[in-house]
Amino acid sequence: MKLRDHTGFPWIFAPIIVPCGVVTLSVPSACADVTSIFRPLSTPAQAVYEISLLTLAICAAIFLVVAGMLVYTIIRFRRRPGDEGREPPQVYGSNQIELAWTVVPILIVFVLILATARTIYDVQGAILPADALNVTVVGRQWWWEINYPKLGVMTANELHVPVSESDRRRPTVLRLESADVAHSFWVPQLAGKTDLIPNRVNQMWIEPIQPGTYVGNCAEYCGLQHARMLLRVIAHSPADFETWAAAQQMPPVEDGQARTGRDLFFATSCINCHAIKQTTANGKFGPDLTHLMSRQTLGSGVVTNTRKNLRAWVRDPQHIKPGALMPNMQLTDDELDQVVDYLLTLK
Ligand code: CUA
């Protein structure tokens, strides 16, 4: 195989160099519409962002030095006519060179360790206001149980929190648990990742400074539907948060129109896995349905929460999310319509 042409340029590297360049150039434009650690909007995420810039700057400097020397060497010492059969001078045992390539990397790693340890200490050791919101998040295959113990609110997959304002900080402390395997809570714009581990409690905190919806996902492989274990954090102004919490504390409003569907729901095994406030449904395996229709998505972000999708979900969850623990209840078309009519009243 001919690896070099008459210019001596090693074209064999072209398939590696060209795609790298394309990826590098396209990253900033792609980042504009996806969530990114480079647009932090929360105190811990800001700390992660700053340390990542330092790390990237050091890595970029190392890359430029190494790549620069490599390119220089490739061009300067390329094969020339008349080189045949000649060996370059061989160098053995240079104390200066060996010292340089040992000490310099040790110093670089030391700087990175110190800076990282300081960031970890700043985030984990932060003193938060006593009235910080406490939320317990339980990772489950494959959805998020979200519990506000002090507010008496239970929901799923969508974490509602207040934003911090300049005159009043309102961080949210998350107590992270798992009901089955290891998961990881990650909303890039709000904080770093923290694992949810069975038989263990981990803690992290977020402090969004701008109202809006922040998307995230499970960041630890946890089985078949790991990639579809999506997460939303909805940050409200403090007043809107109080309104949301007050609505969630109420039991669902009874709607006489959906009586048939309600009776059917309570006669099937739905109630063994799902809870609805102030009813006999008090199952714990599946998401709390008290205010199901206040949520934006179904199946932990798999589809939007519309009548059509809800009907398709109840008809056969396995079709939408294969492996999900909710079984196909084998309802007839009429029964499906009735149950869905009832579920739509859970606002
Ligand atoms: Cu849960 Cu991956």
Side-chain angles (χ1 to χ4, degrees), residues 252 254-255 258-263 265-266 276 279 337-346:
E254 287 274 336
D255 182 342
R259 192 82 224 172
T260 329
R262 185 184 192 284
D263 292 346
F265 181 89
F266 282 88
I276 297 175
T279 69
D337 285 329
Q338 290 159 1
V339 167
V340 169
D341 282 342
Y342 168 61
L343 294 175
L344 289 172
T345 69
L346 303 173

Short mmCIF file of all heavy atoms in Angstrom, two decimals, residues 252 254-255 258-263 265-266 276 279 337-346:
data_model
loop_
_atom_site.label_atom_id
_atom_site.label_comp_id
_atom_site.label_asym_id
_atom_site.label_seq_id
_atom_site.Cartn_x
_atom_site.Cartn_y
_atom_site.Cartn_z
N PRO A 252 -58.15 14.94 43.51
CA PRO A 252 -58.75 15.27 42.20
C PRO A 252 -60.23 15.58 42.36
O PRO A 252 -60.91 15.05 43.25
CB PRO A 252 -58.52 14.01 41.38
CG PRO A 252 -58.27 12.94 42.36
CD PRO A 252 -57.72 13.56 43.59
N GLU A 254 -64.00 15.21 41.59
CA GLU A 254 -64.86 14.14 41.06
C GLU A 254 -65.66 14.68 39.88
O GLU A 254 -66.18 15.78 39.93
CB GLU A 254 -65.84 13.68 42.15
CG GLU A 254 -65.20 12.85 43.23
CD GLU A 254 -65.13 11.37 42.88
OE1 GLU A 254 -65.95 10.91 42.05
OE2 GLU A 254 -64.27 10.66 43.42
N ASP A 255 -65.72 13.89 38.83
CA ASP A 255 -66.49 14.29 37.65
C ASP A 255 -67.50 13.18 37.35
O ASP A 255 -67.12 12.08 36.96
CB ASP A 255 -65.52 14.50 36.47
CG ASP A 255 -66.24 14.96 35.22
OD1 ASP A 255 -67.48 14.79 35.15
OD2 ASP A 255 -65.56 15.49 34.32
N ALA A 258 -67.50 10.82 34.28
CA ALA A 258 -66.52 9.74 34.09
C ALA A 258 -66.75 8.61 35.08
O ALA A 258 -65.87 7.80 35.34
CB ALA A 258 -65.11 10.30 34.24
N ARG A 259 -67.96 8.52 35.61
CA ARG A 259 -68.31 7.54 36.64
C ARG A 259 -68.00 6.10 36.19
O ARG A 259 -67.37 5.34 36.94
CB ARG A 259 -69.82 7.69 36.91
CG ARG A 259 -70.33 6.98 38.14
CD ARG A 259 -70.07 7.79 39.39
NE ARG A 259 -69.58 6.89 40.42
CZ ARG A 259 -69.10 7.27 41.60
NH1 ARG A 259 -69.02 8.56 41.89
NH2 ARG A 259 -68.68 6.39 42.47
N THR A 260 -68.42 5.75 34.97
CA THR A 260 -68.22 4.38 34.49
C THR A 260 -66.74 4.02 34.46
O THR A 260 -66.32 2.96 34.92
CB THR A 260 -68.79 4.21 33.06
OG1 THR A 260 -69.89 5.10 32.91
CG2 THR A 260 -69.21 2.80 32.78
N GLY A 261 -65.96 4.96 33.91
CA GLY A 261 -64.52 4.72 33.81
C GLY A 261 -63.89 4.62 35.18
O GLY A 261 -62.99 3.81 35.42
N ARG A 262 -64.40 5.46 36.11
CA ARG A 262 -63.86 5.44 37.47
C ARG A 262 -64.12 4.08 38.10
O ARG A 262 -63.20 3.47 38.68
CB ARG A 262 -64.53 6.55 38.29
CG ARG A 262 -63.95 6.70 39.69
CD ARG A 262 -64.70 7.75 40.49
NE ARG A 262 -63.98 8.10 41.71
CZ ARG A 262 -63.93 7.35 42.81
NH1 ARG A 262 -64.58 6.19 42.85
NH2 ARG A 262 -63.24 7.74 43.85
N ASP A 263 -65.34 3.60 38.00
CA ASP A 263 -65.68 2.30 38.59
C ASP A 263 -64.81 1.20 37.98
O ASP A 263 -64.32 0.31 38.69
CB ASP A 263 -67.17 1.98 38.36
CG ASP A 263 -68.05 2.93 39.17
OD1 ASP A 263 -67.50 3.61 40.07
OD2 ASP A 263 -69.26 3.01 38.89
N PHE A 265 -61.84 1.55 36.62
CA PHE A 265 -60.47 1.72 37.10
C PHE A 265 -60.29 1.08 38.47
O PHE A 265 -59.34 0.35 38.72
CB PHE A 265 -60.12 3.22 37.16
CG PHE A 265 -58.72 3.52 37.61
CD1 PHE A 265 -57.68 3.60 36.70
CD2 PHE A 265 -58.43 3.73 38.95
CE1 PHE A 265 -56.37 3.88 37.10
CE2 PHE A 265 -57.13 4.00 39.38
CZ PHE A 265 -56.11 4.08 38.44
N PHE A 266 -61.28 1.34 39.37
CA PHE A 266 -61.14 0.82 40.74
C PHE A 266 -61.47 -0.67 40.83
O PHE A 266 -61.18 -1.31 41.83
CB PHE A 266 -61.99 1.66 41.70
CG PHE A 266 -61.32 2.97 42.04
CD1 PHE A 266 -61.53 4.09 41.25
CD2 PHE A 266 -60.43 3.06 43.10
CE1 PHE A 266 -60.88 5.28 41.53
CE2 PHE A 266 -59.78 4.24 43.39
CZ PHE A 266 -60.01 5.36 42.59
N ILE A 276 -54.11 7.30 43.98
CA ILE A 276 -54.85 8.53 43.71
C ILE A 276 -55.31 9.04 45.07
O ILE A 276 -55.94 8.29 45.84
CB ILE A 276 -56.06 8.29 42.78
CG1 ILE A 276 -55.55 7.80 41.42
CG2 ILE A 276 -56.88 9.57 42.62
CD1 ILE A 276 -56.64 7.42 40.45
N THR A 279 -58.47 8.13 47.78
CA THR A 279 -59.26 7.03 47.23
C THR A 279 -58.65 5.74 47.75
O THR A 279 -57.65 5.76 48.47
CB THR A 279 -59.20 7.00 45.68
OG1 THR A 279 -57.87 6.61 45.31
CG2 THR A 279 -59.54 8.34 45.07
N ASP A 337 -61.82 3.50 26.34
CA ASP A 337 -62.34 4.88 26.26
C ASP A 337 -62.83 5.34 27.63
O ASP A 337 -62.59 6.48 28.02
CB ASP A 337 -63.48 4.96 25.24
CG ASP A 337 -62.93 4.92 23.82
OD1 ASP A 337 -61.81 5.42 23.61
OD2 ASP A 337 -63.62 4.36 22.93
N GLN A 338 -63.52 4.45 28.36
CA GLN A 338 -64.06 4.83 29.67
C GLN A 338 -62.95 5.12 30.67
O GLN A 338 -62.98 6.15 31.36
CB GLN A 338 -64.98 3.71 30.20
CG GLN A 338 -66.27 3.58 29.41
CD GLN A 338 -66.92 2.21 29.57
OE1 GLN A 338 -66.41 1.35 30.29
NE2 GLN A 338 -68.04 2.00 28.88
N VAL A 339 -61.95 4.23 30.72
CA VAL A 339 -60.85 4.45 31.67
C VAL A 339 -60.10 5.73 31.32
O VAL A 339 -59.77 6.54 32.20
CB VAL A 339 -59.89 3.23 31.70
CG1 VAL A 339 -58.59 3.57 32.41
CG2 VAL A 339 -60.57 2.06 32.39
N VAL A 340 -59.87 5.95 30.02
CA VAL A 340 -59.15 7.16 29.61
C VAL A 340 -59.97 8.40 29.95
O VAL A 340 -59.43 9.40 30.43
CB VAL A 340 -58.77 7.09 28.12
CG1 VAL A 340 -58.26 8.43 27.61
CG2 VAL A 340 -57.72 6.01 27.90
N ASP A 341 -61.30 8.34 29.76
CA ASP A 341 -62.14 9.48 30.13
C ASP A 341 -61.98 9.80 31.61
O ASP A 341 -61.92 10.97 32.01
CB ASP A 341 -63.61 9.18 29.84
CG ASP A 341 -63.91 9.33 28.35
OD1 ASP A 341 -63.09 9.97 27.65
OD2 ASP A 341 -64.93 8.79 27.88
N TYR A 342 -61.89 8.75 32.44
CA TYR A 342 -61.70 8.98 33.87
C TYR A 342 -60.31 9.58 34.14
O TYR A 342 -60.19 10.58 34.86
CB TYR A 342 -61.88 7.68 34.66
CG TYR A 342 -61.40 7.82 36.09
CD1 TYR A 342 -61.98 8.75 36.94
CD2 TYR A 342 -60.34 7.06 36.58
CE1 TYR A 342 -61.53 8.91 38.24
CE2 TYR A 342 -59.88 7.21 37.89
CZ TYR A 342 -60.48 8.14 38.72
OH TYR A 342 -60.01 8.32 39.99
N LEU A 343 -59.27 9.00 33.52
CA LEU A 343 -57.91 9.50 33.75
C LEU A 343 -57.80 10.98 33.35
O LEU A 343 -57.08 11.76 33.99
CB LEU A 343 -56.88 8.67 32.97
CG LEU A 343 -56.74 7.21 33.43
CD1 LEU A 343 -55.78 6.45 32.52
CD2 LEU A 343 -56.24 7.14 34.88
N LEU A 344 -58.53 11.37 32.31
CA LEU A 344 -58.46 12.77 31.86
C LEU A 344 -59.02 13.74 32.90
O LEU A 344 -58.75 14.93 32.84
CB LEU A 344 -59.23 12.95 30.54
CG LEU A 344 -58.57 12.32 29.30
CD1 LEU A 344 -59.50 12.37 28.11
CD2 LEU A 344 -57.26 13.03 28.96
N THR A 345 -59.81 13.21 33.87
CA THR A 345 -60.34 14.10 34.91
C THR A 345 -59.31 14.35 36.02
O THR A 345 -59.51 15.19 36.88
CB THR A 345 -61.61 13.52 35.57
OG1 THR A 345 -61.23 12.37 36.35
CG2 THR A 345 -62.65 13.13 34.54
N LEU A 346 -58.19 13.61 35.99
CA LEU A 346 -57.18 13.75 37.07
C LEU A 346 -56.24 14.90 36.71
O LEU A 346 -55.12 14.70 36.26
CB LEU A 346 -56.41 12.43 37.21
CG LEU A 346 -57.28 11.21 37.51
CD1 LEU A 346 -56.46 9.94 37.47
CD2 LEU A 346 -57.97 11.35 38.86
#
